[in-house]
Amino acid sequence: MNKPKDFIFKLSALLILAAAISYLFNPVVAAYIMAIGVLGFAAVTFTTPYPGKSLRGKRLFSIQIFGIAFMAISTYLMFVQKNEWVISMLAAAFLLLYTTFMLSREYEKEKKDKE
């Protein structure tokens, strides 16, 4: 990943974390922070597709897109001040954590098989 995308990705992740924490104190502001974070996170993810050719890697990338969709649902639930946003965010976190580790493992495996 190049430096601007990496910076946006990390900043977006921090904004999402800050929104989850600040929801306890100010739900309205937290929803806007969450929206900015999710937009940045989604923009970087959509513009950085899986670089390999394996079907499994492409499928994992699709699962990652579902994780971002769950984050968008969480953002909507924050705006309407429904506490169910936590469930959606946990599902997103699980999917994104799993796909992050598995995508890097799959890509390394694919590069190793080519050699």
Side-chain angles (χ1 to χ4, degrees), residues 2-4 6 8 17-18 37 40 45-47 50 59 71-72 76 83-85 91-92 96 108:
N2 58 20
K3 289 193 184 235
D6 192 39
I8 293 170
L17 180 62
T45 302
F46 288 134
T47 59
Y50 178 68
R59 196 173 3 180
M71 283 197 307
Y76 169 75
N83 289 333
E84 290 83 3
W85 70 267
L96 292 172
E108 290 300 319

Side-chain angles (χ1 to χ4, degrees), residues 45 59-69 96 99-100 103:
T45 302
R59 196 173 3 180
L60 285 166
F61 182 74
S62 296
I63 293 170
Q64 197 173 31
I65 300 302
F66 276 111
I68 291 172
L96 292 172
T99 57
T100 299
L103 273 171

Side-chain angles (χ1 to χ4, degrees), residues 13-27 29-35 37 78 85 89:
L14 287 174
L15 285 173
I16 291 167
L17 180 62
I21 294 168
S22 66
Y23 188 81
L24 297 170
F25 308 107
N26 193 341
V29 172
Y32 286 101
I33 294 171
M34 180 77 153
M78 276 185 161
W85 70 267
M89 184 53 89

Side-chain angles (χ1 to χ4, degrees), residues 40-94:
F41 199 87
V44 170
T45 302
F46 288 134
T47 59
T48 313
Y50 178 68
K53 302 286 184 205
S54 78
L55 183 61
R56 184 169 189 226
K58 292 179 187 226
R59 196 173 3 180
L60 285 166
F61 182 74
S62 296
I63 293 170
Q64 197 173 31
I65 300 302
F66 276 111
I68 291 172
F70 276 114
M71 283 197 307
I73 292 168
S74 294
T75 304
Y76 169 75
L77 292 172
M78 276 185 161
F79 272 110
V80 295
Q81 296 186 2
K82 300 279 186 184
N83 289 333
E84 290 83 3
W85 70 267
V86 176
I87 297 167
S88 179
M89 184 53 89
L90 285 173
F94 174 75

